[in-house]
């Protein structure tokens, strides 16, 4: 047994175990300590001799530091994130913590990628992310709302498909309505929109609508929203929900 | 045994089996027919009684139609893609084919998400996709170069992290240099840049540089490039390659 500690940052993917990579499963199985938001740790069966450090929602930086302290003390720590830890999740918090504490630069730290919500949402709907797209977090806890508006406008003007993370906020429930108002002012009312909730879980709910008819207030913190580009199309079907896809090409100069 | 055929579109992830989801593995194991680009099919061990339909590079629409014909004839077809089939890959081609052939709308078709190259590249480098980002394909086979330029400019102006897919083209090797010239005209020379090649394979090569020093001609068709936002930082280390990360927030209005 090595006495040198390590930190691995892994993602469970959204919802079910069918989307967790073998690498993530192996790292979790080999950990002496699991650190993570309690809702994520609850998805992992207990293992004998493996310590668990469950924390509440928020406080990402404190959780990251806790995991780094464990690694520094010689433990094989695994920090568990939902989705992909590298996309609006825990990996950035760990490197922020390392940047603020020079001695932590020598810790053996690595990230393992995971399926993130927009990929599962896209798969359920068809292939809306089939061409150029962007991902924007609507959470304004850590950035000014003006930055979010600027990015929504740029993404609309350049005709990216747009994936919206963290669309709802208990503190500011109206933000998602502001975002949709901005998108409606710049994009066609017939633009396809996908609302995807609780992906991979028993209560999964994916629905397809268009920008002019979408009700943004239905989004909660478990919802991922995809807004099409001008090329995104809906294929209606008689025997199932419609498919949504974005073709591989673009026809004309914007 | 049902006589009703089906088509599942799966992704192997980039490189090694450690990033292929259990869902993809299960769908492949249950297929009567595997369809895909020969380089991807070679990564799957042969199974008795399972037919393989390997095709050359390009010709995505013909490959998609072939898979749909198999499903229509009652086979359990699996179309195998690299990375995530929903991101610059085969899923969009299948729905383009379905859109062009109304009777195919009744086929049982579903997509399974996979790890895409930018996620593996980000994990190897640290967490450069930790905040708002976009993904742009530089291939101009199916869209005008003007659309690509417009999107690169919009992504720079709105300060997204940018992941570049398909950076090199045998037909037009100079395009990646044009793209970098545009990015250099709009972004700081100290912006972190990650070149990631052959991810998850024995010859994997990930390197970190800055926009002012980057040599875009080193990119080939197996290379994924990540260009930072103004917030993206490099953490140098004495005992290993540097970490690159984008903090979870943004400091100021653009």
């Amino acid at each position: 047994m090595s006495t040198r500690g390590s930190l691995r940052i892994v993602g469970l993917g959204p919802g079910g175990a069918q989307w967790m990579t073998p690498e993530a499963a192996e790292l979790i199985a080999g950990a002496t300590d699991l650190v993570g938001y309690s809702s994520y740790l609850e998805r992992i069966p207990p293992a004998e001799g493996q310590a668990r450090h469950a924390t509440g929602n928020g406080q990402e930086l404190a959780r990251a530091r806790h995991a780094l302290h464990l690694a520094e003390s010689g433990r094989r720590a695994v920090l568990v994130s939902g989705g992909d830890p590298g996309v609006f999740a825990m990996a950035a918090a760990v490197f922020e913590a390392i940047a603020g504490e020079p001695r932590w630069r020598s810790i053996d730290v690595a990230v393992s990628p995971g399926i993130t919500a927009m990929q599962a949402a896209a798969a359920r709907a068809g292939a809306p992310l089939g061409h150029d797209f962007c991902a924007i977090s609507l959470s304004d806890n850590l950035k000014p709302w003006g930055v979010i508006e600027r990015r929504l406008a740029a993404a609309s003007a350049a005709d990216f498909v747009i994936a919206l993370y963290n669309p709802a906020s208990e503190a500011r429930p109206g933000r998602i309505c502001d975002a949709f108002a901005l998108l409606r002012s710049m994009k066609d009312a017939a633009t396809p929109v996908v609302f995807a909730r609780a992906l991979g879980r028993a209560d999964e709910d994916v629905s397809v609508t268009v920008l002019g008819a979408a009700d943004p207030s239905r989004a909660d913190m478990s919802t991922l929203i995809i807004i099409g580009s001008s090329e995104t199309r809906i294929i209606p079907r008689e025997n199932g929900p419609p498919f949504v896809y974005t073709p591989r090409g673009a026809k004309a100069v914007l």
Side-chain angles (χ1 to χ4, degrees), chain A:
Chain A
M1 298 291 286
S2 165
T3 56
R4 192 181 170 219
S6 61
L7 173 57
R8 297 292 176 264
I9 309 159
V10 311
L12 301 181
Q18 75 273 25
W19 292 329
M20 181 169 68
T21 68
E23 182 176 83
E26 191 180 326
L27 290 169
I28 288 168
T32 60
D33 296 73
L34 299 181
V35 181
Y37 175 36
S38 53
S39 294
Y40 298 136
L41 290 190
E42 282 162 13
R43 285 166 54 187
I44 303 169
E48 203 177 313
Q50 187 174 63
R52 286 169 170 248
H53 310 265
T55 57
N57 202 357
Q59 304 180 313
E60 285 82 7
L61 208 49
R63 190 184 303 142
R65 288 192 180 119
H66 185 184
L68 285 159
H69 276 296
L70 287 166
E72 192 176 30
S73 71
R75 311 289 290 179
R76 285 192 308 280
V78 167
L79 180 55
V80 177
S81 194
D84 183 336
V87 175
F88 305 121
M90 283 303 301
V94 169
F95 294 106
E96 287 173 53
I98 292 173
E101 186 57 71
R103 76 174 197 277
W104 281 346
R105 295 182 186 192
S106 60
I107 296 177
D108 173 13
V109 176
V111 180
S112 175
I115 302 292
T116 181
M118 69 177 167
Q119 297 175 293
R124 292 303 199 215
L129 302 180
H131 205 63
D132 301 341
F133 63 91
C134 63
I136 301 175
S137 169
L138 290 188
S139 169
D140 61 352
N141 288 341
L142 292 165
K143 66 183 164 184
W145 182 251
V147 171
I148 298 171
E149 284 187 325
R150 174 79 177 267
R151 288 180 180 159
L152 289 169
S156 298
D159 205 22
F160 283 100
V161 178
I162 303 170
L164 297 179
Y165 281 75
N166 306 315
S169 154
E170 283 185 28
R172 297 179 188 79
R175 287 303 201 196
I176 181 66
C177 298
D178 297 343
F180 266 69
L182 190 156
L183 293 167
R184 283 182 177 130
S185 74
M186 298 189 67
K187 295 172 72 76
D188 196 287
T191 304
V193 175
V194 178
F195 286 87
R197 205 187 156 279
L199 288 153
R201 303 209 304 251
D203 55 339
E204 176 178 295
D205 180 28
V206 177
S207 67
V208 174
T209 181
V210 294
L211 189 56
D215 174 11
S217 69
R218 65 185 290 177
D220 64 14
M221 283 308 276
S222 297
T223 305
L224 186 289
I225 304 174
I226 298 176
I227 319 278
S229 74
S230 71
E231 308 274 350
T232 306
R233 294 288 175 268
I234 295 175
I235 304 177
R237 288 191 300 161
E238 285 179 11
N239 60 341
F243 291 130
V244 181
Y245 76 103
T246 305
R248 296 159 300 145
K251 288 187 197 77
V253 176
L254 295 167

